[in-house]
Amino acid sequence: MFKSIYLIGLVSVLFSSLAFAGDINAAFDSIKNTGANFDPDGAVCEELERVRLSQQYPSDKFLISGDIEYSTGGQTVGELDTVVIDRATGKVVLLGEVKCWKNFDGALLKAKSQLQRFFWNLQQNPAAMAFTSYDGIQYSAAQFPLDTPVYTVGPQGAVAKGFTYEFDLTLKETHQLRMMLLKCQQNNECPGPQH
């Protein structure tokens, strides 16, 4: 059976708090030019997480990606929210699930279930795994070691409910941020998603 999916203690030390300190405007400024599609509810939190990761993993040594769908020979089985890849080896060094839900317990259960499903499929049938990435990066099962550290992220208050990390924005603030970003894109003041 594959290794239990819990974050290795060392990795949690790497995660200092994001520099927004509850400031929605600072968070807005950090992701307004990404051109991301902020229409899906969780997209704002996923973009915030990529900003946070970029502060920990320098871009000259690591590639930070996400929204990677995977299948095992047909329909999509799941999606990976955040992936950190070592540029030198091409190996994934960290996987994360981002859940900005009102129900922390349900969100954490879903995040852990998604991670377990990924590693189960990776262990059971790596040759059949196919990956689709919105940023055009090609992935293979060989890039994902079975002992890759994983973590979970949620809005303020998530750590007390069992998440590995939390944003310093509340769920309500992430919703406000999403509305600001959508309005900015609608008014052509921020780049929108490329179709």
Side-chain angles (χ1 to χ4, degrees):
M1 196 67 187
F2 65 93
K3 180 182 169 187
S4 294
I5 299 178
Y6 290 101
L7 180 66
I8 297 172
L10 174 63
V11 175
S12 64
V13 173
L14 294 174
F15 295 125
S16 60
S17 64
L18 197 52
F20 304 138
D23 183 347
I24 295 174
N25 290 323
F28 174 83
D29 288 340
S30 75
I31 62 174
K32 70 179 181 181
N33 292 316
T34 62
N37 179 2
F38 294 113
D39 196 38
D41 234 10
V44 168
C45 290
E46 290 176 14
E47 284 301 316
L48 289 174
E49 178 56 8
R50 289 183 192 114
V51 169
R52 189 181 73 78
L53 287 171
S54 71
Q55 295 172 348
Q56 303 295 322
Y57 294 91
S59 62
D60 61 329
K61 295 181 180 169
F62 298 95
L63 175 65
I64 298 166
S65 187
D67 292 333
I68 302 162
E69 293 180 3
Y70 65 93
S71 64
T72 55
Q75 288 186 310
T76 298
V77 176
E79 181 183 13
L80 302 171
D81 289 341
T82 59
V83 175
V84 179
I85 303 165
D86 183 322
R87 289 186 185 273
T89 65
K91 297 286 186 185
V92 174
V93 297
L94 187 66
L95 287 176
E97 281 298 319
V98 182
K99 296 286 176 258
C100 284
W101 295 8
K102 185 175 184 177
N103 178 341
F104 286 116
D105 294 334
L108 184 60
L109 185 64
K110 177 72 172 180
K112 286 182 175 181
S113 170
Q114 287 175 297
L115 291 165
Q116 288 174 343
R117 179 175 53 232
F118 174 72
F119 283 105
W120 185 86
N121 281 289
L122 185 64
Q123 185 179 35
Q124 294 300 312
N125 202 357
M129 290 190 81
F131 297 87
T132 304
S133 165
Y134 294 103
D135 55 15
I137 299 170
Q138 299 295 314
Y139 295 94
S140 71
Q143 291 178 270
F144 296 85
L146 287 173
D147 62 351
T148 302
V150 300
Y151 70 99
T152 54
V153 181
Q156 193 173 72
V159 169
K161 294 294 189 172
F163 281 73
T164 311
Y165 178 80
E166 66 186 42
F167 295 115
D168 56 1
L169 297 173
T170 65
L171 183 61
K172 182 179 178 182
E173 289 168 334
T174 64
H175 289 308
Q176 289 173 317
L177 176 59
R178 177 176 173 259
M179 297 315 299
M180 290 168 62
L181 290 158
L182 288 171
K183 183 177 180 182
C184 186
Q185 289 179 337
Q186 183 179 18
N187 293 338
N188 293 318
E189 296 166 354
C190 302
Q194 303 301 313
H195 298 288

